[in-house]
Amino acid sequence: MNSSQDILIIGGGIIGLSLAVELKLRGASVAVLTTNSKQPTARAAAGMLAPQAERIPPSPMLDLCLQSRALYAGWVERLEEITGLKTGYWRSGILAPVCQNEFQEQQSVSNLNSQWLDRDAVRQQQLGLGEEVIGGWWYPDDAQVDNRALFRTLQAATKELQIEIVQDCAEKIIRDENRVLGVETTAGKLQADRYVLATGAWSEQLLNVPVFPRKGQMLSVCVPENCGIIQPLQTVLFGTGIYIVPRQDGRIIIGATSENVDFTSGNTAAGIQSLLAGAMQLYPELQNYPILELWWGFRPATTDELPILGASAWENLTLATGHYRNGILLAPVTAKLLADLIWNQKLDPLLAAFHYSRFPEHWGFKNGD
């Protein structure tokens, strides 16, 4: 096996496919090495685009997230035009209810569009909130996308754009001094001029990077047919340790646990019970909704909970990993900034905050040289 592509992207998740599409649209020849044998990180998400509801403090991370949120509408519109598919992008806004006995923080980013709603106003914003809700923050600019629909759309875009998809498992990155020479797979060796590591929670298996899995359990329910309305919940509810994300087709996504259990698979009774308890406190009507599905996935976390983006210690290897809770949100800005860097040799100053050198003790290849 071989490849003569300009760029080989190792990893076919949301980040890898987003970058592949962006590079292809700029004229690059691109291959994506991916495998279906691993639980996709995209499943451990609800598709919230929530830099404000997440209360990210003023920082380069907030700047990165806000830039990506601003790109989203145009980005998904282009994907939908390429494929004819829908991504479920919905500028629904996000409501962060505050319950009794919860510490009420002041607005963390005062210059952004937000509003404090008291007990009466928060119930006018969303009917059916629990009795313990005493108010809430309303973030009208935060939004959501159906992460599974987005992933399917990205897969379809790679087909439409004739991006080469190699279904195989990367076993080793081959290098000589400061350059990568190829990627050893179960079926042979792949080569390209440049490489991108975008393997999410599995990145540490190929490169000694401080990226580790953080498991998230989730479930979905659906609005009963006798409810009289397809979706009574018209905004995302973002609580303490819980979020409730309505879809326009009547599904409601509830998530997510955050567990340091390596790659331990499966849902647990305790995990699902905690999610249901938190969700029903915010929106009690959920107790009457039938459960549709339970699932889990693995977020790619780093020790400082920031992504690792941009150049690496090897001149032809670029890093796009460690997005943790914000992989869906950061897909368009990651694709834009890294395509600028790889294809146009344009380095955005914002990438400095996410450079690999902030982890000097963690660099080297796995599985030998």
Side-chain angles (χ1 to χ4, degrees), residues 21 79 82-83 153-163:
V21 168
L79 290 173
I82 292 170
T83 64
T153 302
L154 284 166
Q155 288 179 313
T158 64
K159 293 181 180 179
E160 290 291 331
L161 297 172
Q162 298 183 330
I163 295 170

Side-chain angles (χ1 to χ4, degrees), residues 126-346:
Q126 176 59 59
L127 299 175
L129 295 176
E131 285 298 317
E132 294 185 30
V133 175
I134 59 172
W137 286 104
W138 170 238
Y139 304 106
D141 296 332
D142 279 351
Q144 63 158 295
V145 68
D146 185 329
N147 47 296
R148 294 187 187 183
L150 175 62
F151 187 60
R152 290 192 296 269
T153 302
L154 284 166
Q155 288 179 313
T158 64
K159 293 181 180 179
E160 290 291 331
L161 297 172
Q162 298 183 330
I163 295 170
E164 181 182 0
I165 303 295
V166 182
Q167 295 279 354
D168 210 341
C169 184
E171 293 189 324
K172 179 182 177 183
I173 297 176
I174 306 164
R175 53 101 176 188
D176 179 25
E177 296 182 350
N178 67 337
R179 287 189 62 81
V180 171
L181 303 181
V183 179
E184 195 70 48
T185 77
T186 51
K189 182 179 177 181
L190 289 175
Q191 291 181 294
D193 294 331
R194 296 195 62 87
Y195 302 83
V196 179
L197 183 71
T199 47
W202 293 269
S203 296
E204 198 271 341
Q205 295 177 0
L206 290 173
L207 198 65
N208 188 23
V209 295
V211 178
F212 55 92
R214 188 163 287 172
K215 179 180 172 181
Q217 298 186 53
M218 304 185 70
L219 74 148
S220 62
V221 300
C222 65
V223 178
E225 293 182 1
N226 62 3
C227 185
I229 184 172
I230 293 176
Q231 183 55 269
L233 190 58
Q234 287 295 302
T235 184
V236 175
L237 300 181
F238 192 99
T240 302
I242 194 75
Y243 50 76
I244 306 169
V245 183
R247 301 288 196 230
Q248 290 173 309
D249 62 3
R251 289 177 297 140
I252 296 175
I253 314 301
I254 301 171
T257 64
S258 183
E259 306 168 50
N260 289 317
V261 293
D262 198 36
F263 287 107
T264 303
S265 61
N267 291 107
T268 64
I272 297 303
Q273 181 186 42
S274 69
L275 294 176
L276 288 171
M280 289 187 293
Q281 181 186 32
L282 292 185
Y283 194 65
E285 190 62 26
L286 291 174
Q287 64 188 309
N288 301 314
Y289 289 9
I291 292 175
L292 285 178
E293 185 183 2
L294 311 176
W295 70 94
W296 72 95
F298 301 106
R299 307 180 189 90
T302 63
T303 51
D304 62 4
E305 298 188 353
L306 301 178
I308 303 173
L309 304 174
S312 75
W314 300 274
E315 62 183 25
N316 62 336
L317 175 67
T318 302
L319 303 171
T321 187
H323 290 76
Y324 188 35
R325 298 171 60 93
N326 291 298
I328 304 297
L329 168 62
L330 291 176
V333 77
T334 298
K336 178 183 182 296
L337 296 187
L338 294 189
D340 285 346
L341 178 64
I342 296 167
W343 195 242
N344 302 107
Q345 290 77 54
K346 177 184 174 184

Side-chain angles (χ1 to χ4, degrees), residues 66 76 87 125 152 157 181 274 290:
L66 291 174
V76 296
T87 61
Q125 183 68 38
R152 290 192 296 269
L181 303 181
S274 69

